[in-house]
Amino acid sequence: MGRIAVIGAGMGAMAAAARLAVAGHRVTVYERTDTYGGGVGRFERDGFAFDTGPGLLTLPAVYRDLFVKTGKEPLEDCVELVQVDPSARHVFADGTEVSLPNASRAGVVTALDEALGAGAGQRWGDFLVRAREAWDRTRRPLLEEPLWPNWQVLAEREPYPSVPHKKLLRTRRAATLAEIGAWELRDERLAALLNSHALAHGLNPRDTPASAAVLPYLEHAFGTWYVRGGTRELARAVYERCVRRRVEFVFGAEVTAVLAKDGRAAGVELADGGVIDVDQVVAGVDPVRLDALTRRTGCPLDADGDVRADLRSPRPGRFTVLLALRGGPEAGAAHRTVVHAPDEETELDLLASPGGDLPVRPTVTVLRPDDPALRPDDGHESVVLSAVLSAEAGWERESTARACTDFLLEAAEAAVPGLRERLLWHETRQPEPGTETAGSGGISAPALAAGRGRFLHPANSTRLPGLYRVGGWSHPGGGLPHAGMSGALVAGLIVEGPEFRGSQ
């Protein structure tokens, strides 16, 4: 078996490393920081702890499969998964509130009817049925198989079965998520509910294809889960699984070049000048950085025919406020509350064309994990607030971050009783301005069909034989489940060869 260098210790990279080690390869991970997990980070202070990346998990089957395929110890023996119920509480612009049960279509329909009026639940339920069709049509090519060579089929074909809509003597079908909200859901609050799933992934509903209906369906069908101790515990479990399978980790080791010999990847060069000869290279970095790493091989990847997503443009990023509160959570507090923007049209305008200070409060997600591992004692609470904003919203100005913090705190008061009086201190994390790398503060969305291919990601294989892409900036896109799937696809391509077509 061969020697494999993995660049980066993100979730997708570690998922690939564990699978490759089990297949008999000698795997070494080179990570330029001092820890593993990539965007699945953690911040600790004064006995409080916070997830600085994703706070919830969908599709846990991806990581269950990883642990089954890499050893006899199942995932639930390594971390505790808790189903979040209600899945989310929503506070709409008009003050209406609704709590949606986890993974229960009948329960969701009833809750929406009671909160928004008769018929609202049925319209959402009918939408979920259509979203399931889109899921069934795209699940395999977008999640379980390497990207098709004829990817244009996915780019041109809209899998969502839109309902015919008559407008101005013409029959139209929804082509974007915003049009689904306006034409099929026919309620501003239901539209906001739908749009929040796109915003969470850095997508603007106005230009996101209707196929993004799979995003709320994924949560509905497979549930929303919390990892006890925080999502960082999942990263720890994957890292420890790698170590047990004899994957070697070298931290503080920055790869500065991917080297080639005889027309294929043959090694990596480190910042200290060291050269490591290998048989295969797996890169868990964004396409812009990977292009820079391969330029010395004479095979830059920026002109690669399988790179369609405009990943050089700044992606929206996540502004996060970490709150340390005195006093424990009240009984029945929702784990997740989404406080919708009072003016969603302006919010979407700003996401598309940022400039100046933030004039309107964005949609804010409030996470309140009632977890003793994240607080000093039961007399305190750790809370995470987040909103998706443009990475070019003027973050170099102190006033922008201050205004955004105030907006998030204002929204959180609808979810956390007595917030201002309970606040001990807060920390902020903001999107990084600049376009040097696709990942500079940006959010990578899951791959989506249609949209002329703008929502697909670079294939896991590259034009340089022996070099593979893994993680959220490659097929099948961003998010914890998708990163884990990318690791499975890369391992399959290396172990079984280019004829690999995914698990059956």
Side-chain angles (χ1 to χ4, degrees), residues 103-353:
S104 169
R105 181 179 181 277
V108 167
V109 168
T110 299
L112 289 173
D113 275 341
E114 291 177 352
L116 308 187
Q122 187 61 51
R123 289 196 298 279
W124 183 260
D126 291 344
F127 158 73
L128 288 177
V129 172
R130 294 188 292 274
R132 177 179 179 174
E133 286 192 47
W135 170 259
D136 289 340
R137 293 171 180 174
T138 60
R139 179 182 61 187
R140 186 159 185 81
L142 283 182
L143 300 181
E144 299 174 358
E145 296 181 347
L147 192 64
W148 292 346
N150 61 332
W151 57 264
Q152 291 86 351
V153 174
L154 296 173
E156 298 164 0
R157 188 174 298 170
E158 173 56 71
Y160 177 77
S162 300
V163 176
H165 171 77
K166 288 187 177 181
K167 186 174 184 180
L168 299 178
L169 302 180
R170 296 176 57 190
T171 298
R172 301 182 179 183
R173 293 179 179 272
T176 67
L177 219 55
E179 290 173 344
I180 292 176
W183 300 352
E184 298 181 8
L185 298 178
R186 304 190 308 279
D187 184 300
E188 290 184 356
R189 296 161 298 184
L190 289 180
L193 172 59
L194 174 61
N195 291 346
S196 67
H197 289 274
L199 289 170
H201 293 284
L203 298 169
N204 191 323
R206 292 174 177 169
D207 59 17
T208 299
S211 64
V214 300
L215 299 177
Y217 175 76
L218 188 148
E219 274 199 21
H220 163 75
F222 303 104
T224 304
W225 301 78
Y226 174 67
V227 182
R228 184 70 67 185
T231 312
R232 179 67 179 175
E233 285 298 290
L234 178 63
R236 174 198 57 76
V238 175
Y239 167 73
E240 291 179 354
R241 174 55 54 92
C242 287
V243 171
R244 289 172 186 161
R245 298 302 168 261
R246 300 189 178 181
V247 174
E248 181 182 358
F249 284 81
V250 184
F251 294 106
E254 181 176 3
V255 173
T256 54
V258 174
L259 307 179
K261 182 178 181 181
D262 298 329
R264 63 176 293 112
V268 295
E269 181 180 274
L270 304 180
D272 63 6
V275 173
I276 313 297
D277 295 326
V278 296
D279 301 296
Q280 316 265 6
V281 177
V282 175
V285 300
D286 67 81
V288 179
R289 184 181 168 207
L290 182 57
D291 173 63
L293 295 180
T294 58
R295 283 191 175 277
R296 288 181 56 185
T297 71
C299 187
L301 301 178
D302 61 346
D304 199 338
D306 61 1
V307 180
R308 288 153 306 286
D310 187 13
L311 295 173
R312 286 188 177 276
S313 299
R315 292 284 305 156
R318 189 171 283 110
F319 184 89
T320 303
V321 182
L322 314 177
L323 305 180
L325 305 182
R326 63 171 61 89
E330 71 279 9
H335 188 121
R336 174 173 58 170
T337 300
V338 180
V339 184
H340 294 265
D343 184 353
E344 189 177 74
E345 292 303 312
T346 300
E347 177 183 33
L348 300 185
D349 287 342
L350 291 171
L351 200 60
S353 302

Side-chain angles (χ1 to χ4, degrees), residues 428-442:
T428 62
R429 298 287 185 274
Q430 64 191 49
E432 300 175 20
T435 60
E436 293 182 359
T437 66
S440 61

Side-chain angles (χ1 to χ4, degrees), residues 11 35-44 49-55 229-236 322 374 384 429 480:
M11 297 298 284
T35 190
Y36 53 83
V40 184
R42 190 179 185 89
F43 176 77
E44 298 181 3
F50 309 84
D51 281 325
T52 57
T231 312
R232 179 67 179 175
E233 285 298 290
L234 178 63
R236 174 198 57 76
L322 314 177
L374 304 183
V384 177
R429 298 287 185 274
L480 277 174

Side-chain angles (χ1 to χ4, degrees), residues 5-83:
V6 177
I7 306 173
M11 297 298 284
M14 291 196 295
R19 290 175 182 270
L20 290 167
V22 168
H25 294 279
R26 293 167 51 195
V27 184
T28 303
V29 177
Y30 298 92
E31 167 57 48
R32 59 180 175 177
T33 72
D34 61 359
T35 190
Y36 53 83
V40 184
R42 190 179 185 89
F43 176 77
E44 298 181 3
R45 174 183 162 186
D46 300 340
F48 293 89
F50 309 84
D51 281 325
T52 57
L56 295 172
L57 175 66
T58 54
L59 270 181
V62 172
Y63 288 93
R64 290 184 179 123
D65 181 72
L66 171 65
F67 276 70
V68 166
K69 298 291 176 58
T70 59
K72 296 180 180 179
E73 192 176 21
L75 174 63
E76 275 82 356
D77 284 357
C78 302
V79 298
E80 181 183 355
L81 294 180
V82 181
Q83 197 163 20

